[in-house]
Amino acid sequence: MEYNFRAVEQKWQKYWEENNTYKVDIDTEKPKYYVLDMFPYPSGAGLHVGHPLGYIASDIYSRYKTLEGYNVLHPMGFDAFGLPAEQYAIQFGKHPKVTTEQNINRYKEQLKNIGLSYDWSREVKTSDPQYYKWTQWTFLRMFNHWFNNNTQKAEPIDTLIAEFNKNGNMLVNASCSPTPKFYAEVWRGMEEKERMNILLNYRLAYRAKTLVNWCPNLGTVLANDEVKEGLSVRGGHPVIQKPMLQWLIRVTAYAERLVNSLDNLQWTDALKEMQRNWIGRSQGAEVLFPVKDSNLKIKVFTTRPDTIYGATFMVIAPENPLLLKITTEQYASEIKEYIENTKKKTERERQADVKTITGQFSGDYAINPFTNSEIPIWTSDYVLAGYGTGAIMAVPAHDSRDFAFAKYFNIPIIQVVSGAEITENSYDAKEGTMINSGIIDGLEVKDAMTKIIDEIEKRQIGKRQINYRIRDAIFSRQRYWGEPFPFYYKDDIAYPIDENNLPLQLPNLDVILPTEKGEPPLARLDNWKTSEGYQYETSTMPGFAGSSAYFIRFMDPNNDQQLVSTEANNYWQDVDLYIGGTEHAVGHLIYSRFWNKFLYDLGYVCKDEPFKKLINQGMIQGRSNFVYRIKNTNTFVSYNLKDNYEVTELYADVNIVNNDVLDIEKFKMWNPEYQKAEFILEDDKYICGWAVEKMSKSMYNVVNPDNIIEQYGADTLRLYEMFLGPLEQSKPWNTNSIEGVYKFINKFWRLFFDKDGKFIVTAETPSREEFKILHKTIKKTKEDIEKLSLNTSVSAFMICVNELTSLKCNKKEILEPLTIILSAFAPHITEEIWQLLGHTTSIRFATFPKVEEQYLLETQITYPIALNGKTKFTLDIPIDFDKNAIEKEILNNDKVKQLIDNKTVIKFVIVPNRMINIVVK
RNA sequence: GCGGAUAUGGCGUAAUUGGUAGCCGCGCUAGACUUAGGAUCUAGUGCCGAGAGGCGUGGGGGUUCGAGUCCCUUUAUCCGCACCA
């Protein structure tokens, strides 16, 4: 009897749903384990075969952990708000609410078809008011907190106000926007508006006018991680820099903690490195350079204060307001022109021609505080306004960009570190002895660094300083489909709405385009106001808002009193295993760590870091198929004959190709153009060409899991996705070898049935050999699952079933444990067998079998016998033989004698349990 | 330019972590059963060679009794970052 996967899989999926088989609750009797997938944004295209790779791996792991006795939290939800959802809706002229719901339903159906063990009662959708209530709630909390650098913690804004009343901001060491110093009397004398504006400089969620990435085509501002090479990640539209009043979150406050706690996470080095690069911690000094004949001072940040004697000019970023102040009348028009030209350039253009050197002299000079020489002040767009202080001391001898600039504009170059010639290139390495360097002359770079900073601090012209590349995250989007900000405006000042009135619901809007004046869509509403008539914020939160704490909400998703109850949080704590794609390496994974640390500081969550272990699954690429049409004809020629003709390569849908053999009938039906096509075959087949490319509709290489499941079943799909190769490796999808896994499922089934479909499992006692096969498999698969080496466990299952088949083993004592371990991978067929074996509850509640080492003991070892390291043959030797006994044994062996012949034996290398090597001359 | 990863049969991959290279699967070859086969089963399948045997883990060099694995060097591909002072 053939295994009817369609009936069996449907039967159990229905059973699981009806019996809430995968529902979990707090159970203090059991240890917890939290396995999380990065929840998807439900796109209109549905899932392709690449998406479930991580979901299947995490599902196998969850099921395994459950069998091992853990109480496993394994939830799923949808990242439903955001730009792409809105763009998709606009494209199809529908409301995002409608399309999002449709897409979610489609996703859920597809996920359920795969037999994933999610506890759907915990599903969250970021666009659900009951969910985003807590996103808004957290944002309000950020608004009401500041970051105390002394304690390295977020603290309530009231403590800061109290301090302002007492001492002004004179003693405050906060992570804040630049704020002038003031005394308590000054603070007390301020109007409310002024106070509110000052507090904004300290709040962890704040509003400020900053230079933003403005994307005209999308009509919104984007965060740094949403922009790549000056183009928007979504859609690839140009992005320009523009000052705008925006909501931001002060991620920079946590930069130090975000870098430091990376060390203890079980993430890949590659991922940690990406985060470190993104945070971009660099250590150096801030130094003041006085401007000649003026009270003005230019503050620079440098990581190379040791080279200060070689600073022969200064460069100020064109956007830096200081530039116009120091520019002399004579150069005013040139400088203005340079600033204008810079403004006109998009970020992309600015990055594109890095090699073109441009700049303009300001006419003014600064005094190098160590050489006391006058050095010219220039402006150039290679200095960025947003990093450091927006001004640099240029040391051409030891910085390649400064070097190129100095060469181009003929500015003197003074070498201050010995170690290399600097005629052609600068010498950037932090190694060598200081020369031409006054008080630090003769010191090594490292020592020079310490001494010069000490001196700078002593002279009070600067200080040690750590700078971060990471910027505060711009949090406003001038779009509709996102969480509304829980704020209203009175006299242009933002006031939070009462927490009891959360959620502030996203109002319905028929036309979700910007207004004629370019305001966000919500500005179309006349009644987007408080009951007192104050205007609500019209922009909405970005996509990463909703994904920053969903892993916390999953612990207690239906709680309408709290984000998460203390009880639930103390039990589930943190994510033990997080699986998702690398594309979130710096976006989501930075923001959610920040978000979590903030909630941790406030005591709402018990763990400082949310994701203990993180795995990036590899990308599944597409494998496209091609057909070859002879030019100007409707005749297609098979792959190996195509070189005899002049042909055009055309895509053929991979779904009508099997093992690179084209299904000609389906091909004719696929496109009306090909209906009358003719074919030149080889061996009566049409062979297609192929290439590995991105999985995409336009390349006709998208494989839908639904089709695979329809043809082979969900268990086969699950096993096959794992069988493809290591989880973390990127690989092309190729349906070709799925047959092998499908055969395996059927072969497993046949262990339980005879030819007539009679269930033939017996209670007979298994042989030692059968036990050995079983326990070998238990051991191997257990180790492999723990390492997430799931491809090799599939192959271990195949070996096991092959061996049991050849032994014609149908003994319950062997097959039942095997069924349990396989159930993590193939839950449907094993659930059916489990029932046939007489069980009345789901196999999910079974226990993972223990390895019994006694069955794995050998009596003999098969030793490879090598001559000079080359294996010649193998020899069975009893396991309890020691080195001497082995040597005696092999010396008496005829084959060994023959091998040695009349050569001189130099030595025997005998590694017990491993191998024997005879070294001869 | 900087950083990271990878490289093994016709293809996807495996290798007890320095000890028999190629497990498992696809594909291919031959055969059995069969009305039929895109079912199932059996045997074979790294390359060269009739064979003995030789060669073989991107290339070159090294350490070692022994290297896919360690070290040096080099090449190719992929990914990330990139005027960050």
Side-chain angles (χ1 to χ4, degrees):
Chain A
M1 184 185 74
E2 276 298 287
Y3 168 55
N4 183 346
F5 64 81
R6 282 192 194 89
V8 169
E9 292 186 348
Q10 270 172 27
K11 168 182 164 184
W12 290 106
Q13 283 173 11
K14 194 163 160 250
Y15 174 93
W16 296 330
E17 185 146 357
E18 284 170 358
N19 291 278
N20 294 318
T21 307
Y22 300 120
K23 195 169 181 318
V24 290
D25 285 304
I26 293 176
D27 179 353
T28 49
E29 299 292 298
K30 286 183 180 175
K32 71 96 188 186
Y33 204 90
Y34 187 176
V35 180
L36 184 66
D37 295 298
M38 287 185 188
F39 69 163
Y41 150 71
S43 83
L47 289 173
H48 69 59
V49 103
H51 296 114
L53 184 75
Y55 304 155
I56 294 168
S58 66
D59 193 61
I60 290 168
Y61 202 79
S62 305
R63 287 174 182 272
Y64 164 73
K65 277 285 174 185
T66 307
L67 293 172
E68 284 273 286
Y70 288 85
N71 189 28
V72 178
L73 178 58
H74 187 40
M76 185 42 108
F78 297 95
D79 190 13
F81 261 149
L83 207 60
E86 186 167 346
Q87 288 296 99
Y88 178 82
I90 292 171
Q91 191 188 336
F92 290 94
K94 287 183 180 161
H95 196 280
K97 199 171 179 172
V98 176
T99 54
T100 303
E101 199 182 309
Q102 279 172 356
N103 294 348
I104 287 177
N105 289 337
R106 169 107 181 89
Y107 263 62
K108 261 170 93 166
E109 190 193 316
Q110 287 187 298
L111 292 172
K112 285 183 178 175
N113 283 342
I114 300 171
L116 301 167
S117 62
Y118 294 124
D119 175 359
W120 284 107
S121 74
R122 289 177 184 263
E123 175 186 353
V124 300
K125 302 180 193 104
T126 54
S127 58
D128 178 350
Q130 287 317 307
Y131 177 85
Y132 67 67
K133 173 180 176 176
W134 300 105
T135 310
Q136 292 174 331
W137 175 87
T138 311
F139 192 79
L140 283 183
R141 290 245 158 344
M142 290 177 183
F143 181 77
N144 281 318
H145 282 79
W146 64 290
F147 193 85
N148 187 339
N149 278 336
N150 292 335
T151 57
Q152 278 290 306
K153 260 183 84 167
E155 294 179 10
I157 202 84
D158 292 345
T159 63
L160 185 69
I161 294 172
E163 172 66 18
F164 284 174
N165 276 316
K166 207 165 133 205
N167 301 309
N169 69 350
M170 304 309 284
L171 307 173
V172 171
N173 180 12
S175 179
C176 59
S177 316
T179 312
K181 291 281 176 195
F182 56 81
Y183 290 103
E185 306 82 78
V186 180
W187 169 260
R188 285 191 231 117
M190 284 179 192
E191 304 261 320
E192 183 183 349
K193 186 169 180 174
E194 205 177 342
R195 286 183 176 191
M196 286 295 274
N197 278 330
I198 285 186
L199 286 173
L200 280 181
N201 290 342
Y202 291 86
R203 296 178 191 276
L204 285 174
Y206 65 101
R207 218 161 72 109
K209 195 165 191 173
T210 58
L211 219 48
V212 299
N213 303 305
W214 173 255
C215 180
N217 293 48
L218 292 173
T220 187
V221 154
L222 297 171
N224 282 349
D225 62 282
E226 292 169 322
V227 182
K228 234 172 220 179
E229 290 170 11
L231 299 174
S232 65
V233 173
R234 290 280 177 183
H237 306 292
V239 171
I240 59 165
Q241 300 286 303
K242 168 174 165 181
M244 273 179 82
L245 192 58
Q246 300 289 329
W247 282 101
L248 294 102
I249 51 175
R250 209 177 293 281
V251 189
T252 48
Y254 283 84
E256 186 73 20
R257 276 169 64 186
L258 286 170
V259 174
N260 289 341
S261 56
L262 275 176
D263 296 342
N264 304 320
L265 300 177
Q266 295 166 50
W267 296 14
T268 59
D269 290 338
L271 191 59
K272 286 187 191 180
E273 202 51 36
M274 271 192 238
Q275 291 229 333
R276 286 196 192 99
N277 287 341
W278 187 259
I279 296 165
R281 182 184 197 273
S282 54
Q283 207 162 349
E286 263 180 17
V287 191
L288 289 167
F289 278 64
V291 178
K292 185 189 164 196
D293 304 327
S294 155
N295 295 327
L296 290 172
K297 287 182 168 127
I298 301 172
K299 193 195 269 180
V300 302
F301 174 72
T302 176
T303 55
R304 293 298 302 275
D306 56 305
T307 63
I308 197 162
Y309 285 89
T312 52
F313 62 103
M314 304 196 75
V315 186
I316 301 182
E319 295 89 346
N320 192 328
L322 194 63
L323 176 61
L324 284 172
K325 284 192 202 155
I326 57 124
T327 299
T328 60
E329 228 168 281
Q330 195 192 344
Y331 287 91
S333 61
E334 278 95 336
I335 287 285
K336 274 181 192 147
E337 197 187 323
Y338 190 84
I339 294 173
E340 279 312 306
N341 283 338
T342 305
K343 258 191 209 159
K344 272 187 225 152
K345 282 194 204 169
T346 63
E347 186 76 345
R348 184 172 174 75
E349 285 167 339
R350 225 169 129 167
Q351 285 181 8
D353 47 43
V354 173
K355 281 172 198 128
T356 322
I357 295 163
T358 64
Q360 176 58 48
F361 178 47
S362 71
D364 215 332
Y365 291 85
I367 310 292
N368 182 323
F370 282 84
T371 62
N372 290 322
S373 50
E374 290 178 9
I375 57 175
I377 304 169
W378 289 67
T379 187
S380 172
D381 60 10
Y382 86 86
V383 172
L384 306 177
Y387 183 78
T389 59
I392 62 158
M393 66 173 207
V395 185
H398 305 289
D399 180 289
S400 53
R401 294 150 305 174
D402 298 345
F403 184 85
F405 195 86
K407 279 270 176 192
Y408 190 82
F409 289 109
N410 259 321
I411 303 171
I413 298 170
I414 302 171
Q415 182 163 15
V416 289
V417 184
S418 66
E421 279 290 311
I422 55 155
T423 42
E424 293 299 320
N425 290 300
S426 60
Y427 174 60
D428 295 11
K430 288 185 184 175
E431 269 164 38
T433 310
M434 306 310 300
I435 50 172
N436 306 321
S437 289
I439 61 161
I440 51 172
D441 220 69
L443 294 179
E444 289 301 302
V445 166
K446 220 179 125 208
D447 304 325
M449 193 83 81
T450 315
K451 184 160 180 192
I452 200 79
I453 299 178
D454 288 345
E455 181 66 19
I456 288 167
E457 289 189 333
K458 203 169 107 197
R459 290 203 215 163
Q460 297 193 332
I461 54 166
K463 58 172 193 208
R464 275 194 173 72
Q465 177 74 29
I466 293 165
N467 249 312
Y468 300 94
R469 198 189 76 112
I470 192 171
R471 303 267 68 91
D472 285 342
I474 294 164
F475 216 62
S476 314
R477 296 293 178 275
Q478 288 65 31
R479 300 295 298 243
Y480 168 70
W481 193 236
E483 300 85 348
F485 285 87
F487 287 90
Y488 63 89
Y489 294 96
K490 196 158 83 181
D491 191 17
D492 270 347
I493 297 288
Y495 289 90
I497 66 167
D498 192 317
E499 199 178 295
N500 297 318
N501 293 334
L502 293 179
L504 176 62
Q505 295 223 21
L506 182 66
N508 206 22
L509 198 60
D510 293 331
V511 182
I512 53 174
L513 297 170
T515 65
E516 286 67 32
K517 280 190 267 171
E519 296 160 307
L522 283 178
R524 291 178 174 273
L525 290 169
D526 294 330
N527 60 352
W528 186 231
K529 290 183 174 122
T530 64
S531 49
E532 292 86 22
Y534 296 115
Q535 177 71 47
Y536 283 129
E537 167 68 56
T538 52
S539 57
T540 55
M541 295 189 191
F544 60 80
S547 58
S548 289
Y550 77 108
F551 47 91
I552 297 170
R553 189 64 182 162
F554 273 141
M555 298 175 188
D556 195 7
N558 302 310
N559 189 335
D560 58 1
Q561 299 301 309
Q562 292 165 283
L563 167 65
V564 59
S565 72
T566 313
E567 190 202 3
N569 183 254
N570 280 342
Y571 182 73
W572 297 113
Q573 304 213 354
D574 54 0
V575 177
D576 294 281
L577 175 65
Y578 196 20
I579 298 187
T582 346
E583 66 271 25
H584 299 112
V586 288
H588 162 63
L589 287 173
I590 291 264
Y591 297 124
S592 49
R593 290 178 65 218
F594 158 80
W595 206 274
N596 189 80
K597 280 180 189 299
F598 172 72
L599 291 168
Y600 172 77
D601 283 355
L602 272 57
Y604 293 111
V605 301
C606 63
K607 290 280 182 165
D608 176 50
E609 279 291 334
F611 314 121
K612 218 183 279 173
K613 183 179 166 102
L614 189 139
I615 302 278
N616 288 124
Q617 88 272 22
M619 268 234 288
I620 299 276
Q621 295 142 306
R623 186 179 185 279
S624 314
N625 274 117
F626 302 106
V627 290
Y628 304 91
R629 186 170 62 193
I630 300 171
K631 283 219 166 126
N632 304 319
T633 70
N634 203 7
T635 302
F636 293 83
V637 56
S638 186
Y639 178 76
N640 292 301
L641 304 171
K642 72 177 195 307
D643 294 345
N644 304 328
Y645 304 86
E646 208 181 315
V647 295
T648 316
E649 187 178 71
L650 299 164
Y651 282 105
D653 191 323
V654 293
N655 296 295
I656 57 169
V657 177
N658 194 353
N659 283 336
D660 293 333
V661 177
L662 184 70
D663 185 324
I664 290 174
E665 288 314 307
K666 284 188 188 157
F667 180 71
K668 285 181 175 171
M669 272 154 36
W670 178 50
N671 186 332
E673 218 183 301
Y674 303 149
Q675 211 163 21
K676 296 230 167 74
E678 301 195 17
F679 300 87
I680 299 173
L681 308 178
E682 49 181 310
D683 297 335
D684 294 332
K685 287 183 223 157
Y686 189 97
I687 311 287
C688 299
W690 60 274
V692 171
E693 299 176 293
K694 202 179 150 224
M695 198 172 273
S696 133
K697 253 186 185 170
S698 61
M699 294 162 179
Y700 298 99
N701 58 11
V702 176
V703 181
N704 185 320
D706 300 339
N707 294 346
I708 302 285
I709 289 171
E710 170 57 28
Q711 210 178 342
Y712 298 102
D715 287 337
T716 298
L717 172 76
R718 292 169 59 105
L719 283 165
Y720 185 58
E721 293 237 4
M722 297 302 103
F723 190 63
L724 276 178
L727 182 61
E728 283 147 290
Q729 203 168 296
S730 285
K731 54 231 158 189
W733 178 268
N734 184 350
T735 310
N736 289 357
S737 47
I738 197 169
E739 297 278 347
V741 171
Y742 181 68
K743 282 181 201 165
F744 161 75
I745 286 282
N746 284 292
K747 210 165 172 180
F748 172 73
W749 181 259
R750 281 198 303 271
L751 286 172
F752 297 84
F753 295 91
D754 67 11
K755 271 199 197 114
D756 309 318
K758 221 174 86 200
F759 195 67
I760 48 159
V761 176
T762 70
E764 247 177 281
T765 306
S767 67
R768 188 177 166 83
E769 195 184 0
E770 288 167 332
F771 273 124
K772 187 178 163 187
I773 293 167
L774 173 68
H775 286 280
K776 186 179 75 179
T777 307
I778 297 171
K779 188 175 179 178
K780 172 77 176 153
T781 50
K782 185 180 162 75
E783 284 169 2
D784 284 351
I785 297 170
E786 273 164 14
K787 285 188 293 187
L788 283 162
S789 168
L790 302 173
N791 52 327
T792 52
S793 29
V794 175
S795 108
F797 282 124
M798 288 175 170
I799 293 167
C800 177
V801 167
N802 286 348
E803 289 177 349
L804 293 177
T805 301
S806 46
L807 292 177
K808 298 197 171 31
C809 173
N810 50 15
K811 294 162 190 161
K812 183 172 178 180
E813 230 176 306
I814 299 295
L815 296 183
E816 191 171 85
L818 175 62
T819 305
I820 296 170
I821 53 176
L822 184 61
S823 73
F825 291 76
H828 306 87
I829 189 172
T830 48
E831 193 82 90
E832 178 74 10
I833 297 276
W834 188 248
Q835 191 187 43
L836 289 166
L837 286 169
H839 298 277
T840 50
T841 54
S842 167
I843 195 167
R844 171 184 174 75
F845 304 109
T847 301
F848 200 86
K850 292 258 171 306
V851 184
E852 289 184 39
E853 296 284 348
Q854 53 153 318
Y855 293 115
L856 302 176
L857 297 175
E858 307 272 357
T859 53
Q860 291 208 325
I861 303 261
T862 304
Y863 279 93
I865 311 292
L867 187 74
N868 290 342
K870 278 271 174 198
T871 305
K872 297 295 175 184
F873 55 89
T874 60
L875 197 62
D876 287 345
I877 295 174
I879 192 154
D880 49 359
F881 273 34
D882 65 6
K883 271 194 183 186
N884 288 331
I886 294 172
E887 188 169 336
K888 211 179 269 175
E889 175 79 15
I890 55 172
L891 277 172
N892 284 324
N893 185 284
D894 286 343
K895 273 171 126 179
V896 174
K897 282 181 188 159
Q898 208 183 339
L899 200 62
I900 297 169
D901 200 16
N902 49 16
K903 299 176 193 96
T904 320
V905 176
I906 297 171
K907 70 170 164 179
F908 286 102
V909 182
I910 297 168
V911 186
N913 300 332
R914 284 261 182 260
M915 55 89 67
I916 293 156
N917 188 14
I918 304 162
V919 187
V920 299
K921 212 157 88 179

